[in-house]
Amino acid sequence: MIKKGILILRKNKPVVLTVIFLAILADIFFIRGNSDIRIFGILGVYIISVFFYKLKSRLTFLFSLALLGIMFIEFLFTRTSESTEKAAVWLYLFLAIGIIQKLRE
């Protein structure tokens, strides 16, 4: 039973990464307020997926680039708002993870 679950997760790497990115987008745009549990929960799932899928730092920096673009667009439309600040926090955290990954490689 557990082996089947792990096999399904291994085969569906793009789906897992998409769900993580969509959770980040939902946190930025739809969920009001800040929660450390939510932020570190999503980060924890991403870090586990880094080890599970043996992801390279290049993908983490690609996530960071996407978050930078989202932050830029949010800043153009809303100036400094809660969603712009959330995007900046996510950008900072993913840059930190990417740097740590790059040092490990």
Side-chain angles (χ1 to χ4, degrees), residues 25-36:
L25 291 180
D27 182 47
I28 292 172
F29 293 115
F30 301 118
I31 301 173
R32 296 291 165 217
N34 294 323
S35 172
D36 290 341

Side-chain angles (χ1 to χ4, degrees), residues 43-92:
L43 274 180
V45 170
Y46 183 75
I47 291 170
I48 289 170
S49 68
V50 164
F51 289 112
F52 187 73
Y53 296 118
K54 295 177 180 47
L55 301 176
K56 301 289 182 189
S57 62
R58 184 177 183 158
L59 180 66
T60 305
F61 287 127
L62 188 62
F63 272 161
S64 298
L65 184 63
L67 289 168
L68 180 65
I70 290 168
M71 186 181 76
F72 175 70
I73 292 170
E74 271 296 307
F75 183 73
L76 286 178
F77 289 120
T78 63
R79 295 288 173 199
T80 55
S81 66
E82 183 180 357
S83 58
T84 306
E85 290 180 14
K86 280 185 174 185
V89 167
W90 281 111
L91 172 64
Y92 178 78

Side-chain angles (χ1 to χ4, degrees), residues 87-102:
V89 167
W90 281 111
L91 172 64
Y92 178 78
L93 292 171
F94 269 87
L95 282 174
I97 291 172
I99 290 169
I100 292 169
Q101 272 183 286
K102 192 66 175 174

